[in-house]
Amino acid sequence: MILVTGATGNIGRELVRELDAKGAKLRVLVRDPARAAGLPERAERVVGDLGEPATLTPAFAGVDKLFLLTQGIGTDYTVAALAAAEAAGVSHIVHLSAFNVLGDPMPAMGRWHHEREEIIRASGIPATFLRPGGFMTNALDWVPTIREGGFVLDPIGPGRYAPIDPADIAAVAALALTEDGHQGKEYVLTGDEVFTVTEQVRIIAEAIGLDIEVREAATPAQAVQSRFPNGAPKALADAITEGFALMRADTVGFRTDTVERLLGRRPRTFADWCARNASAFRRPATA
């Protein structure tokens, strides 16, 4: 039995579909069953919350493999998941980390993920660590300003990066969960096309048939607000500011060939992702 956490998110939904297509026996941990309505019917639903450890025992019963995705900046969810996994006799964990752990010096975002990785290693349960770079779905953060003002705020200027489609992360996770030989591995995952924000916005504009202006963020605070309009805790805001500065400095763009090596195909392109998600960037039709 494979247990998937984060099953209603961008990666989790794709992973459940991948595992279902492979005929894997799977279960999803959900806080709100209504959000799991679109998942394959064959996926068993169990209501629970990594933030409430007492709810995890039924979810982990009979589970031998775990896809672990924990959000936020702390380690409490990871600790709770590991305690439940150890009690249930889980034999393999595929953990979603981040490529930031490779930084030297390691940025704040990397330190949080590194702490989680170390907790998993200390458990003794064999693990596979997935370390993706930026997600293509992060472009959805631009939807409000594209819809309301026809512009995107650019916090990284000349910086380049290689965003990855969450569906490709899910495909690698499904491979690691259903085939032998991935325990103890660390996979750094990116797309194979590098972009500036301006270049990404041009592709979105072509997909939706509208002009989109790119405006450079005037201050770090404005850049953070573009990601978190309702505000972010100071530690997270500082980490985002640091991350944008590092991205601005990388004018080449970090990328790997890991997806192609593991899946036997090139990663999905940003243009393809935009074509599939074009409706998200358009204003809803008015009556």
Side-chain angles (χ1 to χ4, degrees), residues 195-277:
F195 301 105
T196 62
V197 167
T198 296
E199 289 165 347
Q200 280 188 282
V201 171
R202 187 178 302 127
I203 294 171
I204 295 171
E206 291 172 357
I208 66 176
L210 294 173
D211 291 332
I212 304 172
E213 180 187 0
V214 177
R215 302 176 184 173
E216 185 165 356
T219 64
Q222 188 182 36
V224 172
Q225 187 179 26
S226 71
R227 285 287 304 275
F228 291 90
N230 297 321
K234 185 179 185 307
L236 181 57
D238 290 346
I240 292 170
T241 299
E242 179 187 32
F244 282 151
L246 292 171
M247 292 177 72
R248 175 178 284 273
D250 182 4
T251 57
V252 175
F254 172 76
R255 60 180 171 174
T256 72
D257 65 353
T258 310
V259 170
E260 185 171 6
R261 286 191 295 104
L262 291 174
L263 301 181
R265 61 166 176 80
R266 294 183 66 181
R268 293 171 172 87
T269 68
F270 186 62
D272 287 342
W273 182 88
C274 289
R276 299 197 311 271
N277 294 277

Side-chain angles (χ1 to χ4, degrees), residues 8 43 57-58 80 86 91 107 110 159 170 184 190 212 220 285 287:
T8 60
T57 299
E86 290 174 319
S91 62
T190 72
I212 304 172

Side-chain angles (χ1 to χ4, degrees), residues 41-109:
E41 289 299 321
R42 203 173 57 81
E44 180 185 341
R45 277 80 160 159
V46 176
V47 177
D49 189 332
L50 292 177
E52 299 179 18
T55 69
L56 299 181
T57 299
F60 279 75
V63 168
D64 59 340
K65 296 188 178 184
L66 168 67
F67 176 73
L68 181 59
L69 185 160
T70 57
Q71 297 178 324
I73 63 178
T75 59
D76 290 351
Y77 289 0
T78 305
V79 170
L82 263 293
E86 290 174 319
V90 170
S91 62
H92 182 204
I93 296 172
V94 175
H95 174 61
L96 186 73
S97 184
F99 86 107
N100 306 93
V101 301
L102 303 175
D104 185 16
M106 191 181 296
M109 288 286 189

Side-chain angles (χ1 to χ4, degrees), residues 10-19 22 67 94 130 164-179 182 187 189 258-259 262-268:
N10 290 321
I11 296 171
R13 285 186 177 277
E14 298 287 353
L15 175 56
V16 172
R17 294 186 187 109
E18 289 272 351
L19 293 173
K22 290 176 178 289
F67 176 73
V94 175
L130 307 185
I164 184 169
D165 191 326
D168 283 337
I169 302 172
V172 172
L175 188 76
L177 288 163
T178 58
E179 295 186 4
H182 300 283
Y187 295 134
L189 309 174
T258 310
V259 170
L262 291 174
L263 301 181
R265 61 166 176 80
R266 294 183 66 181
R268 293 171 172 87

